[in-house]
Amino acid sequence: MNKWKPIQKPAEIAEQRLLDAILSGRFAVNSYLPGERDLAAQIGVTRPTLREALQRLARDGWLDIQHGKPTRVRDYWLEGSMGVLSTLAQMPAQQTPDFVSHLLEIRVLLAPAYTRQAMESSAAEIAALLAKFESIEDTPTAFSDADWEVHHLLTLRAANPIFRLLLNSFQGMYHVMAEHYFVTAENRERSRAYYTELLACAKKNAYLKAETLTRDVMNESLAQWK
C-alpha cells in the first residue's frame, strides 16, 4: 500500500520559509524581521499563522522575541539550542562542509560512555541483540539499520537518559549518514568486526574493554569520514 505524505500545516510551511530565509542570509544574523503585517504578506500566510511559526522558531533558538520590540534573528551558532542542531541535521543543503565531522567528534565523546553504562547494567540483553548480527546481510541498508539498533539499545540502557534524547534528535540524519558510510565494503567489515568484539565484551561483562573498543572504533569512523 502506498503511504501518503503528511500534509504540512500552514504554520509548518511558514516556519520552513522563515528558516530558508534565515539560512540563506535573506534575514541575516542579528537583523530584525519586518513587521508582522509585512512579513505575513511576504511569506503568504495569515498573521495568526505567522505568530505560531515565530513562536516555534523562538523556542528552538532561531529568533529573539521580546514584547514591544522587533523580532531579532539570533546568531544561532552562538545563541542557539538543541532545536537549532536538530533542525540543521534535517537540512543537508544548509549544512556547513564540516557539519557531519563535528557531529562525529561529539559521538567519539559520547558513545564510549553510554556503551560502558549500558554494558554495566544490561550486558545479557546487548549480547542477545549483537548475536542477531553475526550473519547480517551485506548491504548498506542492513548495516545502517543494525548500527542504529545497536546504538539505540545502548543509549536506552545507559544510566544517563540524555544520551537517548540526543541520539533520537538525529535519527533521520543518522540513517542518511550510515547508508553513505556503509556503501564501502571495508566500512561494513569494520563494523562487523566491532559487533563481534562488542559481543565478546558483553558475554564477559567487560564494560571497560567495551568502552575502549567503542572509542577506538568511533575514532576510526571519524577518520574515514574525513
Side-chain angles (χ1 to χ4, degrees):
M1 179 182 294
N2 292 330
K3 293 184 178 180
W4 295 90
K5 290 184 178 181
I7 299 174
Q8 278 191 298
K9 298 178 180 178
E12 293 173 343
I13 296 172
E15 183 179 359
Q16 187 60 56
R17 289 176 180 173
L18 287 167
L19 275 172
D20 289 341
I22 291 169
L23 291 169
S24 69
R26 178 180 173 187
F27 296 144
V29 164
N30 287 322
S31 68
Y32 294 97
L33 296 183
E36 188 178 274
R37 187 186 303 276
D38 289 343
L39 185 56
Q42 284 184 39
I43 62 177
V45 296
T46 64
R47 292 171 71 180
T49 295
L50 173 64
R51 291 189 201 110
E52 182 180 347
L54 292 174
Q55 289 298 328
R56 289 186 183 190
L57 292 173
R59 176 198 62 202
D60 287 346
W62 295 95
L63 300 175
D64 179 25
I65 299 177
Q66 297 186 39
H67 183 68
K69 296 183 178 180
T71 297
R72 180 177 66 89
V73 178
R74 290 181 182 270
D75 187 341
Y76 48 87
W77 281 116
L78 295 179
E79 304 175 75
S81 63
M82 277 299 299
V84 168
L85 196 56
S86 181
T87 299
L88 286 173
Q90 300 172 52
M91 303 176 70
Q94 303 291 356
Q95 294 166 9
T96 59
D98 50 6
F99 182 80
V100 172
S101 294
H102 287 162
L103 279 182
L104 292 177
E105 287 173 358
I106 298 300
R107 190 175 72 153
V108 169
L109 299 175
L110 300 182
Y114 65 64
T115 299
R116 174 178 53 78
Q117 290 184 13
M119 283 286 187
E120 286 185 87
S121 66
S122 307
E125 183 181 4
I126 294 165
L129 175 63
L130 290 167
K132 290 170 42 181
F133 301 136
E134 289 184 295
S135 57
I136 185 172
E137 183 182 359
D138 192 30
T139 66
T141 299
F143 271 85
S144 172
D145 292 344
D147 204 63
W148 171 261
E149 196 170 350
V150 168
H151 285 279
H152 190 245
L153 178 61
L154 291 173
T155 58
L156 283 174
R157 297 297 175 256
N160 187 337
I162 302 300
F163 287 132
R164 75 188 66 115
L165 296 180
L166 290 172
L167 186 68
N168 288 340
S169 297
F170 300 101
Q171 182 173 2
M173 184 179 184
Y174 193 103
H175 283 287
V176 172
M177 290 168 54
E179 288 263 359
H180 178 74
Y181 177 78
F182 287 124
V183 164
T184 305
E186 180 184 356
N187 291 338
R188 296 197 297 273
E189 284 308 308
R190 182 178 292 108
S191 287
R192 191 191 301 275
Y194 170 57
Y195 302 151
T196 299
E197 292 183 57
L198 196 61
L199 173 58
C201 291
K203 288 179 177 179
K204 297 177 181 178
N205 200 20
Y207 54 85
L208 292 178
K209 184 176 180 180
E211 179 181 24
T212 300
L213 169 66
T214 299
R215 182 178 295 107
D216 291 344
V217 170
M218 296 302 106
N219 274 312
E220 288 175 6
S221 296
L222 174 59
Q224 284 292 316
W225 192 273
K226 288 182 175 180

